[in-house]
């Protein structure tokens, strides 16, 4: 019975892997499973050596693909990394991306989390009007571009989850905020130009729509893919070094991640240690505040671990990542903050 279940698991996961290769455009069922595929592959790491030792060769074949795929995609993040040192002449900048959760029940904690991390440039998503007022008084950030949003009843295009903000120790010389009209239930994006000690840098603070928010089907990636493509078109037209960070609402096994990493470098994968999960922090937030369709019996504090990497810092080749870490607390949000140090000049 046990080995039968292991065989069914191996065949099912391997079938998904083959379909991922055969259908790169990822229709709905495959795209949905892609988001959690790393979790599906993990049991194979335990089962595969066991069935090899027991010489159950049919199970070895069934479990081979998920084992190899997990190691190929994530093996390096568990290996010791040599520390990256910026040269004395390198200009470094610390950046932070942080989804605040618009209906955060402990908003008073957010300024303390931001202050404790102490980044030079802070990109925030889901900035409600109340959050906008709280972060505006942070004296260590004299330069601010805050686009806070208040809920407007049932208006899906006027919600606090659409608020974006960038706080900076360096002058912000340009600021643009926009929402894509083609989205049924939009979030928002922001672009600023920051003068970092005389070197101008473009920062995109982005928040693509989750496939479950399209209003057209259970899980449709068509709108997110269109958003990501437009963002990349903007990025490739830039002449200055670019940082693109935010809550991307995708995992690193989704097709859109591959789109992004053909243009930009994933800072955490460059220098981070471990899986880098940032979501969901249900130890600090009511699960229903994060995911509205959760059953009513879900309590405030669930023993559900972080399991997805939705928050990223990507950078152009004008930068090199020096260090990256996920912060140890979310401040009452469902997302953990992600901090990255980038060097702007050659190391």
């Amino acid at each position: 019975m046990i080995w039968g279940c292991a065989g069914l698991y191996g065949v099912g996961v391997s079938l998904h892997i083959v379909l991922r290769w055969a259908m790169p455009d990822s229709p709905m069922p495959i795209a949905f499973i892609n988001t959690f595929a790393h979790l599906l592959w993990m049991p194979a790491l335990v089962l595969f050596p066991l069935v090899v030792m027991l010489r159950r060769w049919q199970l070895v074949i069934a479990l081979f693909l998920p084992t190899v795929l997990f190691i190929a995609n994530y093996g390096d993040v568990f290996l010791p990394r040599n520390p990256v040192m910026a040269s004395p002449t390198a200009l470094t900048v610390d950046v932070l991306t942080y989804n605040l959760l618009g209906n955060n029940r402990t908003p008073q904690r957010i300024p303390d989390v931001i202050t404790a991390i102490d980044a030079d440039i802070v990109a925030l998503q889901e900035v409600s009007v109340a959050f906008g007022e709280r972060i505006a008084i942070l004296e260590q950030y004299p330069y601010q571009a805050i686009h806070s949003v208040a809920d407007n009843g049932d208006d899906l295009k006027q919600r606090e989850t659409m608020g974006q903000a960038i706080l900076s120790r360096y002058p912000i010389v340009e600021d643009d905020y926009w929402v894509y009209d083609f989205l049924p239930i939009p979030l928002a994006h922001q672009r600023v130009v920051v003068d970092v000690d005389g070197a101008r840098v473009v920062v995109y603070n982005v928040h693509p729509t989750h496939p479950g928010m399209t209003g057209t089907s259970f899980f449709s990636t068509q709108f997110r893919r269109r958003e990501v493509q437009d963002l990349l078109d903007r990025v490739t037209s830039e002449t200055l070094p670019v940082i693109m960070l935010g809550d991307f609402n995708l995992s690193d096994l989704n097709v859109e991640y591959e789109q992004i990493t053909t243009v930009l470098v994933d800072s955490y994968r460059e220098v981070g240690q471990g899986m880098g999960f940032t979501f969901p922090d249900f130890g600090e937030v009511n699960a229903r505040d994060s995911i509205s369709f959760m059953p009513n019996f879900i309590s405030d504090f669930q023993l559900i671990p972080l399991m997805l990497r939705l928050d990223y810092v990507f950078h152009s080749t004008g930068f090199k990542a020096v260090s990256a870490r996920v912060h140890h607390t979310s401040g009452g949000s469902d997302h953990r903050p992600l901090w990255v140090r980038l060097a702007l000049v050659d190391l």
Side-chain angles (χ1 to χ4, degrees):
M1 181 68 175
I2 294 175
W3 300 122
C5 291
L8 287 174
Y9 157 77
V11 170
V13 176
S14 297
L15 177 61
H16 167 253
I17 292 170
V18 171
L19 291 175
R20 286 185 78 233
W21 285 333
M23 292 183 273
D25 288 338
S26 297
M28 188 280 287
I30 300 174
F32 178 76
I33 298 172
N34 285 349
T35 305
F36 305 96
H38 58 285
L39 302 176
L40 296 177
W41 298 345
M42 284 182 178
L45 299 177
V46 177
L47 292 170
F48 185 77
L50 183 60
V51 297
V52 169
M53 287 189 296
L54 295 175
R55 299 183 179 183
R56 292 181 174 268
W57 302 120
Q58 289 180 325
L59 292 178
V60 168
I61 295 171
L63 295 168
F64 178 77
L65 276 181
T67 304
V68 169
L69 262 290
F70 187 92
I71 294 172
N73 279 274
Y74 302 110
D76 61 320
V77 303
F78 296 103
L79 298 175
R81 292 186 184 269
N82 295 323
V84 179
M85 303 297 293
S87 71
T89 59
L91 181 62
T92 61
V93 58
D94 294 352
V95 299
L96 169 69
T97 178
Y98 188 12
N99 182 322
L100 305 182
L101 181 62
N103 59 344
N104 189 316
R105 295 189 182 193
T106 56
Q108 68 277 5
R109 298 176 59 196
I110 295 299
D112 293 337
V113 173
I114 294 172
T115 299
I117 296 172
D118 197 34
D120 298 315
I121 299 173
V122 179
L124 304 172
Q125 303 88 43
E126 298 199 19
V127 181
S128 65
V129 170
F131 275 136
E133 294 171 351
R134 288 180 182 275
I135 63 178
I137 62 175
L138 292 174
E139 295 181 354
Q140 65 268 44
Y141 297 108
Y143 306 100
Q144 303 182 349
I146 300 174
H147 302 273
S148 55
V149 178
D151 271 340
N152 185 18
D154 294 328
D155 186 353
L156 295 178
K157 298 194 175 184
Q158 186 67 31
R159 297 165 296 115
E160 58 191 11
T161 52
M162 297 167 61
Q164 301 280 99
I166 289 182
L167 312 178
S168 176
R169 288 198 171 96
Y170 301 105
I172 297 173
V173 297
E174 293 181 26
D175 174 37
D176 185 25
Y177 167 90
W178 71 95
V179 175
Y180 289 111
D181 292 336
F182 61 80
L183 295 172
I185 308 176
L187 295 172
H189 307 280
Q190 182 181 15
R191 174 192 179 273
V192 302
V193 177
V194 181
D195 189 324
V196 181
D197 290 342
R200 294 200 169 188
V201 173
V202 178
V203 180
Y204 283 85
N205 176 20
V206 306
H207 197 188
T209 297
H210 190 280
M213 294 174 54
T214 63
T216 59
S217 65
F218 167 67
F219 196 89
S220 174
T221 61
Q222 60 175 317
F223 295 112
R224 185 179 65 187
R225 194 171 305 178
R226 186 173 169 186
E227 273 185 283
V228 167
Q229 187 57 60
D230 185 81
L231 289 167
L232 292 177
D233 289 344
R234 293 170 184 251
V235 166
T236 54
S237 70
E238 301 285 359
T239 57
L240 298 171
V242 174
I243 303 168
M244 186 165 73
L245 72 173
D247 171 10
F248 285 74
N249 277 318
L250 57 87
S251 83
D252 55 18
L253 294 175
N254 288 126
V255 171
E256 295 87 344
Y257 176 85
E258 297 177 13
Q259 287 180 265
I260 295 169
T261 52
T262 60
V263 177
L264 299 170
V265 179
D266 180 346
S267 302
Y268 188 87
R269 286 305 300 266
E270 189 176 10
V271 296
Q273 192 78 45
M275 294 295 287
F277 293 151
T278 60
F279 179 88
D281 196 352
F282 288 164
E284 294 206 27
V285 64
N286 185 310
R288 282 184 53 78
D289 289 345
S290 171
I291 304 174
S292 59
F293 57 79
M294 281 281 192
N296 289 326
F297 62 82
I298 296 292
S299 63
D300 285 10
F301 300 101
Q302 292 293 302
L303 297 177
I304 299 175
L306 296 167
M307 63 179 70
L308 294 172
R309 188 162 74 107
L310 302 183
D311 304 85
Y312 301 84
V313 175
F314 296 102
H315 63 82
S316 66
T317 54
F319 290 98
K320 179 74 174 179
V322 177
S323 55
R325 69 170 186 267
V326 177
H327 195 55
H328 62 85
T329 180
S330 69
S333 174
D334 52 352
H335 288 253
R336 293 279 182 92
L338 173 64
W339 170 93
V340 172
R341 174 167 292 167
L342 299 170
L344 184 58
V345 297
D346 292 336
L347 296 178

